[in-house]
Amino acid sequence: VTGPQLGSRLLVSRYYLTINYKNHRIFVLYELGASNMGYITTTLSTTEIPLFEIKVRSHFSKLFSKDKTTFQVKCSSDSLIHFIYRSIQSCQLDTIAETNQFEPEIRNYLEGNQMILETRHHLEFYDKESALVALINFHQSIIDYSERIISYRR
């Protein structure tokens, strides 16, 4: 067969939201259709935050592990790990993850001379609105943490 491929078209809807918080922008992209993914990114004002990665523990690993927490945090800084666990609880990310199939992956990374905070998660669960609010609150808590680092350095 030559020419255009036959088949159906897949409608993809993208929803954007930008939130300003303490001179930072939290950018939200929800893509519904092909991938059903949510992305939230924030550029932080400091690069002095240790790198971290947050994932949801699988039900299988929680079953056989002594650690029954929903989230697993990898970071070189114990104080930041404790802060992240407190933020996860205060933003209710753990509650949403336990009652839905909400499995965000959150990390920060250096891009040039900027620190980027990024969250990726699928949107195939029921309580999308509560999850979005909780993730925005979590990004705001990391912004607050980064602002405290800047104020301590001065």
Side-chain angles (χ1 to χ4, degrees), residues 88-138:
I88 286 170
Q89 289 176 340
S90 68
C91 296
Q92 298 184 338
L93 286 170
D94 54 345
T95 304
I96 296 167
E98 288 170 5
T99 57
N100 292 274
Q101 289 193 320
F102 173 59
E103 299 175 345
E105 294 181 2
I106 305 169
R107 70 184 184 115
N108 67 338
Y109 60 92
L110 288 171
E111 187 174 274
N113 61 351
Q114 294 183 319
M115 177 71 68
I116 308 296
L117 174 61
E118 174 186 71
T119 301
R120 301 168 50 105
H121 62 95
H122 67 81
L123 296 171
E124 296 174 7
F125 61 95
Y126 178 72
D127 200 5
K128 294 174 189 62
E129 187 176 321
S130 294
L132 176 59
V133 170
L135 286 170
I136 290 168
N137 289 337
F138 181 80

Side-chain angles (χ1 to χ4, degrees), residues 21-22 83 139-149:
Y21 180 75
K22 294 186 177 181
F83 176 83
H139 274 244
Q140 289 174 337
S141 73
I142 298 296
I143 290 169
D144 292 341
Y145 183 89
S146 72
E147 293 293 313
R148 283 196 298 274
I149 287 176

Side-chain angles (χ1 to χ4, degrees), residues 31-44:
E31 185 177 280
L32 303 172
S35 64
N36 291 320
M37 290 291 293
Y39 307 92
I40 303 173
T41 56
T42 304
T43 302
L44 300 172

Side-chain angles (χ1 to χ4, degrees), residues 44 46-53 73-81 84 107-110 115-117 142 145-146 149 153:
L44 300 172
T46 181
T47 58
E48 297 180 33
I49 296 176
L51 297 178
F52 64 84
E53 183 177 307
V73 179
K74 293 181 181 178
C75 181
S76 62
S77 167
D78 288 340
S79 64
L80 181 54
I81 289 172
I84 288 172
R107 70 184 184 115
N108 67 338
Y109 60 92
L110 288 171
M115 177 71 68
I116 308 296
L117 174 61
I142 298 296
Y145 183 89
S146 72
I149 287 176
R153 302 284 187 226

